[in-house]
Amino acid sequence: MLETQQLPSLRIYWMAWGLLLALTMGMLVTSFISIPTAVLVGLLLVGMMVKASVICAYFMHLRFEQRSLVIMVVLSIVLTLIVLFWLISYDAKRALELSGM
Amino acid sequence: MAEAQSIKNPWGGGVSPFAVSWQKLMMWTFIVSDALLFGSMLSVYGFARLAQSAWPNQAEVFHLSLIGFMTFVLITSSATMATAVSASHQGKRSRVIGALVLTIVGGCTFLGLQVYEWATFIGEGARLHSNPWGAPAFSASFFAITGFHGTHVLTGVIILVITAIRTATGRVSEQGVELAGLYWHFVDLVWVFIFTLFYLI
């Protein structure tokens, strides 16, 4: 049973909304200016991770949940993706070789 | 919030792990599995793209301003959803329904715009197996990824409609609204990744 004292006021949701919007517009604009691709990709990925963190922390309430729940959610996804990438990378490299690149 | 306590009787039920109800824990478990679904689809897209020598310029193929607006709609619907959850914790039923309706409108707007994008794209010749801009993987990954995401938005809208109706008839708990909210925020979260990785980069 959740206690209402734990919950933030509505203000925090609209601040998160504003931040997400600002980040989205920033990322859109950035994709159109001429900067080196590596810099662009880096900036966009950082922006993406910040947006994801804001949604998870404030909309999905993870900032106010038990640390163990947060760790369970984040670690499951991250670890599984790492293992997925690592195991697939051998086949991926081979497939690239075979396709002649 | 429940604190970790030493349990005198280990068979007495104990304390809920993670200090959440089993319903919420299962929703999080489902979200993790769904996140891995989209994670693997985006990984495949990433690999297919790296394996191509040429990839169409998304800014030339899509209406990025429209996609940006779709992102705005989904983010706003997430904010209204959070409002609904907050209102349900405070017991303000009419406000819950109002906020849920706004969220549903946002979701339907997103779906309508996505349908428009698909129709335009298909009209210009894009198919699952080929497209006029080059790499077949381009349209294939577009349809697969946005198709899966759009289906999640649709089921989210359905869940929200049911939640709104049940709230109106007084048969939903505050946790029910919160769990629907978790699902909806997850849908928005996935869009953040799709928007960045497929449309921008």
Side-chain angles (χ1 to χ4, degrees):
Chain A
M1 208 74 72
L2 284 169
E3 299 141 22
T4 37
Q5 301 97 300
Q6 298 282 148
L7 296 173
S9 70
L10 280 188
R11 212 177 118 246
I12 207 165
Y13 297 135
W14 293 105
M15 284 176 65
W17 171 80
L19 178 59
L20 288 170
L21 238 50
L23 280 166
T24 308
M25 287 195 293
M27 285 162 70
L28 254 178
V29 166
T30 310
S31 69
F32 281 109
I33 60 180
S34 45
I35 47 177
T37 316
V39 175
L40 172 67
V41 170
L43 284 176
L44 289 177
L45 287 178
V46 166
M48 179 180 85
M49 292 316 296
V50 172
K51 282 170 77 174
S53 310
V54 169
I55 292 177
C56 285
Y58 292 102
F59 285 152
M60 294 172 102
H61 216 246
L62 276 184
R63 219 188 117 205
F64 310 99
E65 300 280 7
Q66 292 278 38
R67 192 54 52 91
S68 51
L69 181 69
V70 179
I71 290 173
M72 181 199 87
V73 168
V74 172
L75 217 56
S76 327
I77 298 176
V78 167
L79 282 182
T80 313
L81 283 178
I82 287 175
V83 171
L84 175 76
F85 271 103
W86 169 55
L87 290 177
I88 299 273
S89 65
Y90 296 105
D91 284 317
K93 280 184 221 147
R94 185 72 185 127
L96 280 178
E97 278 170 36
L98 288 173
S99 72
M101 284 191 64
Chain B
M1 240 183 252
E3 300 158 29
Q5 296 159 0
S6 60
I7 300 162
K8 291 196 171 83
N9 175 11
W11 300 107
V15 177
S16 163
F18 309 106
V20 295
S21 65
W22 63 262
Q23 294 96 332
K24 194 160 168 185
L25 188 59
M26 284 319 301
M27 179 51 91
W28 272 114
T29 308
F30 168 73
I31 285 173
V32 168
S33 72
D34 224 6
L36 290 168
L37 166 73
F38 282 102
S40 43
M41 293 193 80
L42 285 168
S43 307
V44 169
Y45 149 72
F47 170 61
R49 183 163 171 185
L50 287 173
Q52 302 292 327
S53 45
W55 192 262
N57 180 356
Q58 298 97 312
E60 288 164 16
V61 178
F62 300 112
H63 312 98
L64 279 188
S65 49
L66 184 67
I67 311 293
F69 179 68
M70 282 163 68
T71 309
F72 160 77
V73 166
L74 213 53
I75 291 174
T76 308
S77 75
S78 253
T80 56
M81 184 74 229
T83 307
V85 172
S86 189
S88 81
H89 287 311
Q90 291 158 19
K92 300 177 184 169
R93 199 147 63 117
S94 57
R95 183 183 264 206
V96 174
I97 297 170
L100 281 178
V101 165
L102 284 175
T103 312
I104 291 166
V105 167
C108 292
T109 308
F110 179 90
L111 280 173
L113 291 173
Q114 188 66 281
V115 166
Y116 171 73
E117 272 296 306
W118 271 49
T120 318
F121 200 48
I122 294 171
E124 289 166 2
R127 301 287 181 268
L128 262 177
H129 52 80
S130 67
N131 62 79
W133 295 277
F138 174 61
S139 52
S141 29
F142 172 81
F143 287 125
I145 294 173
T146 60
F148 264 87
H149 177 260
T151 310
H152 280 73
V153 176
L154 179 63
T155 52
V157 166
I158 293 171
I159 288 171
L160 288 175
V161 168
I162 294 173
T163 308
I165 293 172
R166 292 184 71 207
T167 307
T169 55
R171 284 183 297 141
V172 83
S173 64
E174 50 186 74
Q175 185 169 243
V177 180
E178 185 177 354
L179 296 189
L182 273 181
Y183 184 76
W184 191 254
H185 293 136
F186 167 69
V187 164
D188 185 25
L189 184 65
V190 170
W191 181 252
V192 165
F193 285 94
I194 295 176
F195 175 62
T196 313
L197 295 172
F198 192 86
Y199 287 98
L200 291 186
I201 290 184

